[in-house]
Amino acid sequence: ALVIKTWGIGHPPGSPGYVLLAGMFAEVVPVPSSRALVIFSSLFGAMIALPIDRILRRLGLSHPYLRFGWLVLGGLLPGVWLQGVRIELYSLSGFLFFLVVARCLERSVHPKLGRDMITACCVGLLMSVNLLIGTLAAVLLGSTILFQNRQDSMISVLGLALKLSIGILVGLLPYLYFFVVSGATDRFIWGDWQSVNGIWFYFTGQ
């Protein structure tokens, strides 16, 4: 909460996407910052139901009451609802991850470059929120493309991968925030941002 409130830099390997999105939300919601951040977590915790519903439909669970039952049971798990009442990045990262999963499952029905680029941007944004889960999402997207485009030529697949890499880089733009605020002295800044070694140690989690 301190990092977000002061627009600072948190512990390695960083989560600038979360700091920026949660910080902007806290700025516009007319309640105290700490309460706004809990509301932010609660909103994305609840919104996880949207991509999960899409996943259940793609897996063949067409009856709405059955899907609703599974969503309620999942929401009652302590590991799920607990993140929605805390100032944590896991609600946002969970929403983005399941959104990527849903879009990967739907890709066989809607195999369009524009949709793939949006999915790639979501992967990059997720990496700027939670690098580990974002990397898992990137592997999932890459595996999906390799499997569904296995009949295409290698050049075609590589060309698509290059285009999607650009989308991921766009999603990673929040990392520029670190270099913008790293020299500030009026906020919480984790690590040494004045040397190449310090930056390397930060991004490698050391």
Side-chain angles (χ1 to χ4, degrees):
L2 175 63
V3 171
I4 299 172
K5 187 175 182 178
T6 62
W7 296 97
I9 299 177
H11 63 75
S15 51
Y18 174 67
V19 172
L20 291 173
L21 291 174
M24 288 187 288
F25 182 85
E27 289 288 337
V28 300
V29 176
V31 297
S33 177
S34 58
R35 184 173 300 176
L37 294 176
V38 173
I39 294 173
F40 182 83
S41 294
S42 300
L43 284 175
F44 278 99
M47 287 170 58
I48 289 177
L50 298 176
I52 291 182
D53 182 66
R54 290 164 60 178
I55 292 169
L56 292 175
R57 279 184 289 173
R58 286 298 302 153
L59 294 178
L61 198 61
S62 59
H63 199 290
Y65 292 129
L66 288 176
R67 296 201 310 274
F68 178 76
W70 279 111
L71 290 172
V72 170
L73 287 175
L76 291 174
L77 294 174
V80 176
W81 64 261
L82 185 60
Q83 301 304 323
V85 295
R86 302 172 63 182
I87 302 175
E88 283 285 0
L89 54 79
Y90 297 108
S91 291
L92 175 59
S93 60
F95 170 78
L96 290 171
F97 177 75
F98 286 113
L99 180 62
V100 171
V101 173
R103 296 182 71 87
C104 285
L105 288 173
E106 294 167 350
R107 189 178 182 274
S108 59
V109 181
H110 308 287
K112 297 180 180 179
L113 178 60
R115 288 181 58 88
D116 286 344
M117 290 297 289
I118 293 174
T119 305
C121 288
C122 290
V123 170
L125 180 60
L126 176 54
M127 293 177 76
S128 77
V129 174
N130 187 310
L131 186 57
L132 179 60
I133 298 178
T135 302
L136 178 61
V139 172
L140 175 63
L141 177 60
S143 301
T144 300
I145 290 173
L146 286 175
F147 178 75
Q148 294 184 355
N149 293 58
R150 61 189 182 280
Q151 303 297 333
D152 296 347
S153 66
M154 181 63 69
I155 294 178
S156 175
V157 173
L158 289 175
L160 178 58
L162 179 60
K163 294 174 183 176
L164 297 187
S165 297
I166 295 173
I168 292 176
L169 288 175
V170 171
L172 286 169
L173 285 177
Y175 270 105
L176 294 177
Y177 159 81
F178 282 168
F179 298 96
V180 172
V181 304
S182 61
T185 58
D186 60 344
R187 62 198 70 191
F188 182 87
I189 304 293
W190 187 304
D192 171 24
W193 289 84
Q194 307 307 313
S195 67
V196 174
N197 285 338
I199 295 173
W200 171 254
F201 286 152
Y202 182 87
F203 283 117
T204 54
Q206 301 181 38

